[in-house]
């Protein structure tokens, strides 16, 4: 039987930030992920500077050999309506590639990595968790995204939740596409749906293009995406074919609250359903909740009762607002 003090299920930004926050605590930390990194993640790959600040990442150091597109403005419109360009004169966001970014965070987390291993069995035995009948731990952190098995263990019913459903395609442009592409790297384009239930984007990151659309209404998403792509082509913004878009779903903070705290268990990131309702930004809340969970775990000093861990909910509501947090 393998063992550790804290097992984090999921090595995305939430899980790796939690492990990074626990470095130097003396606790033995392991991250379990069903995939092998670097791995792709369906995402626009837009981050706000706070993500880098919170994780003490120097943008210049990160940009060595990796994609980091500074964003200094936005071009916004309703799909098909007049466009407005707003400039801020300095980087107010960055474009990253999740394939690189998540791998970078995971490798600097300091945790022992258990990759290519899905959590498929979870049980409580005394004051320990037993994962997949072969890993023992005292404390469990669910960071496995929207469909996290730890969240399901705590009662999440994904099929009944109100989610943002989104699709994107990210691809490297060839020489011809690079000259034909009118989208500016520093000024991504955002296109709001006429019913304001979501928005599409065209986001250039050096020689990569990310085209996608997300909506608070998962019905007929593929139809909305297809119409959006048709519009982009007709408007000359996408003068070539993009690969087939891939989709995923996630929860906005406060819309369908999940139970985030239990006996010796916390949920972070998408597993807890924390994306910003106004923008759909999920990476920053994933990082911040991972760091808050690390603080709570260290402060618990080995006593991981639900009562002791419950301050995590207070910290989250202080940080993200105070919708009716369940559980
Ligand atoms: C199309 C789209 C575009 C988006 N664009 C943006 C954007 O531009 N900016 C932004 O801030 N947010 C964006 N988001 C949201 C953002 O992607 C998520 O909020 C963010 O990835 C959450 O990070 P996380 O670490 O909680 O989960 P994830 O990044 O989903 O990581 C979860 C990890 O858990 C692992 N896992 C899952 N199940 C298991 C299991 N059973 N056992 C072991 N491991 C498991 C997975 O392999 C994965 O590595 C977008 C989302 C979508 C769908």
């Amino acid at each position: 039987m393998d063992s550790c003090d804290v097992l984090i299920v999921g090595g995305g930004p939430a899980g790796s930030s939690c492990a990074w926050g626990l470095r130097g605590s003396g606790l033995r930390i392991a991250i379990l992920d069903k995939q092998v990194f670097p791995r792709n993640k369906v995402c626009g790959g837009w981050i706000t500077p706070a993500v880098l600040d919170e994780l003490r990442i120097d943008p210049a150091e990160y940009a060595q050999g990796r994609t980091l597109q500074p964003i200094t403005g936005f071009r916004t419109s309703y799909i098909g309506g007049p466009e407005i360009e707003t400039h801020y004169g300095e980087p107010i966001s960055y474009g990253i590639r999740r394939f690189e970014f998540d791998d970078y965070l995971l490798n600097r987390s300091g945790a022992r990595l258990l990759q290519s291993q899905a959590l498929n069995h979870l049980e409580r035995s005394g004051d320990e968790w037993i994962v997949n009948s072969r890993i023992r731990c005292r404390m469990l952190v669910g960071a496995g995204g929207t469909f996290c098995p730890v969240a399901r263990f705590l009662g999440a019913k994904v099929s009944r939740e109100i989610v943002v459903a989104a699709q994107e395609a990210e691809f490297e442009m060839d020489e011809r596409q690079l000259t034909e592409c009118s989208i500016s790297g520093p000024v991504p384009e955002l296109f709001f749906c006429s019913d304001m239930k979501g928005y599409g984007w065209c986001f250039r990151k050096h020689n990569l293009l990310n085209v996608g659309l997300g909506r608070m209404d998962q019905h007929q998403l593929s139809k909305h995406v297809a119409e959006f792509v048709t519009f982009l082509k007709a408007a000359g913004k996408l003068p070539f074919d993009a690969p087939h878009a891939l989709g995923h779903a996630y929860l906005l903070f406060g819309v369908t609250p999940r139970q985030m705290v239990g006996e010796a268990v916390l949920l972070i990131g998408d597993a807890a359903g924390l994306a910003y309702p106004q923008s759909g930004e999920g990476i920053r809340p994933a990082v911040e909740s991972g760091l808050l969970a690390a603080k709570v775990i260290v402060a618990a000093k080995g006593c991981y009762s639900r009562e002791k861990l419950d301050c995590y909910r207070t910290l989250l509501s202080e940080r993200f607002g105070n919708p009716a947090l369940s559980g």
Side-chain angles (χ1 to χ4, degrees):
M1 187 75 81
D2 197 352
S3 76
C4 59
D5 297 313
V6 181
L7 183 73
I8 300 169
V9 179
S16 53
S17 299
C18 184
W20 187 79
L22 288 167
R23 77 201 183 288
S25 64
L27 295 165
R28 293 169 305 145
I29 317 298
I31 295 180
L32 182 85
D33 201 291
K34 65 181 181 185
Q35 299 206 52
V36 177
F37 286 65
R39 56 103 176 88
N40 275 320
K41 163 75 183 83
V42 177
C43 186
W46 152 68
I47 57 168
T48 41
V51 169
L52 302 181
D53 294 347
E54 298 266 7
L55 294 173
R56 290 190 231 142
I57 295 171
D58 173 11
E61 188 272 323
Y62 178 81
Q64 300 293 318
R66 297 178 201 89
T67 300
L68 188 73
Q69 170 67 63
I71 296 171
T72 55
F74 288 103
R75 182 181 274 253
T76 47
S77 61
Y78 286 106
I79 297 174
E83 298 176 357
I84 298 171
E85 216 169 274
T86 314
H87 291 275
Y88 297 88
E90 58 176 348
I92 41 113
S93 283
Y94 294 97
I96 50 91
R97 210 179 162 190
R98 292 292 297 268
F99 185 78
E100 297 168 346
F101 186 69
D102 289 18
D103 188 49
Y104 172 86
L105 296 188
L106 190 64
N107 282 311
R108 78 197 280 269
S109 73
R112 185 154 67 96
L113 306 182
L114 306 170
Q115 302 189 67
S116 190
Q117 300 181 45
L119 187 155
N120 42 43
H121 189 256
L122 183 58
E123 63 180 280
R124 217 49 199 134
S125 169
D127 65 352
E128 288 186 322
W129 291 100
I130 301 186
V131 171
N132 292 352
S133 310
R134 59 181 173 73
I135 309 168
R136 286 180 185 278
C137 65
R138 294 277 320 286
M139 178 71 206
L140 189 67
V141 178
T146 309
F147 306 98
C148 180
V150 183
R152 289 176 193 270
F153 191 89
L154 286 178
K157 303 254 182 313
V158 185
S159 59
R160 291 194 213 149
E161 292 173 322
I162 301 166
V163 294
V164 169
Q167 293 184 0
E168 61 85 4
E170 183 167 284
F171 58 100
E172 206 168 316
M173 291 181 282
D174 62 25
E175 288 297 322
R176 184 181 60 83
Q177 291 169 334
L178 281 169
T179 52
E180 287 176 359
C181 178
S182 64
I183 307 295
S184 144
V187 186
E189 305 203 10
L190 303 178
F191 307 87
F192 295 96
C193 300
S194 54
D195 61 5
M196 288 304 279
K197 285 190 175 177
Y199 63 89
W201 62 87
C202 240
F203 186 5
R204 180 173 182 168
K205 310 167 198 176
H206 305 294
N207 60 345
L208 297 171
L209 194 65
N210 188 302
V211 180
L213 182 132
R215 284 178 58 80
M216 268 301 283
D217 172 9
Q218 56 190 307
H219 299 104
Q220 299 192 306
L221 179 67
S222 296
K223 181 173 161 273
H224 285 282
V225 173
E227 285 171 1
F228 177 54
V229 169
T230 302
F231 155 74
L232 291 176
K233 287 192 164 177
K237 292 179 186 290
L238 189 63
F240 39 78
D241 286 332
H244 183 68
L246 299 174
H248 197 62
Y250 61 110
L251 300 170
L252 300 178
F253 183 58
V255 175
T256 321
R258 284 185 172 177
Q259 183 175 324
M260 309 175 192
V261 180
E263 194 68 19
V265 58
L266 294 175
L267 298 183
I268 60 178
D270 275 4
L274 300 178
Y276 287 135
Q278 296 86 350
S279 60
E281 178 181 9
I283 298 171
R284 180 175 175 182
V287 166
E288 291 185 342
S289 60
L291 296 175
L292 290 176
K295 273 191 191 157
V296 169
I297 292 167
V298 170
K301 295 189 176 136
C303 169
Y304 302 127
S305 66
R306 184 189 164 124
E307 294 70 36
K308 195 86 180 178
L309 298 177
D310 204 46
C311 58
Y312 174 62
R313 292 197 309 130
T314 313
L315 291 175
L316 281 183
S317 59
E318 281 171 4
R319 173 62 194 85
F320 298 111
N322 192 15
L325 291 172
S326 73

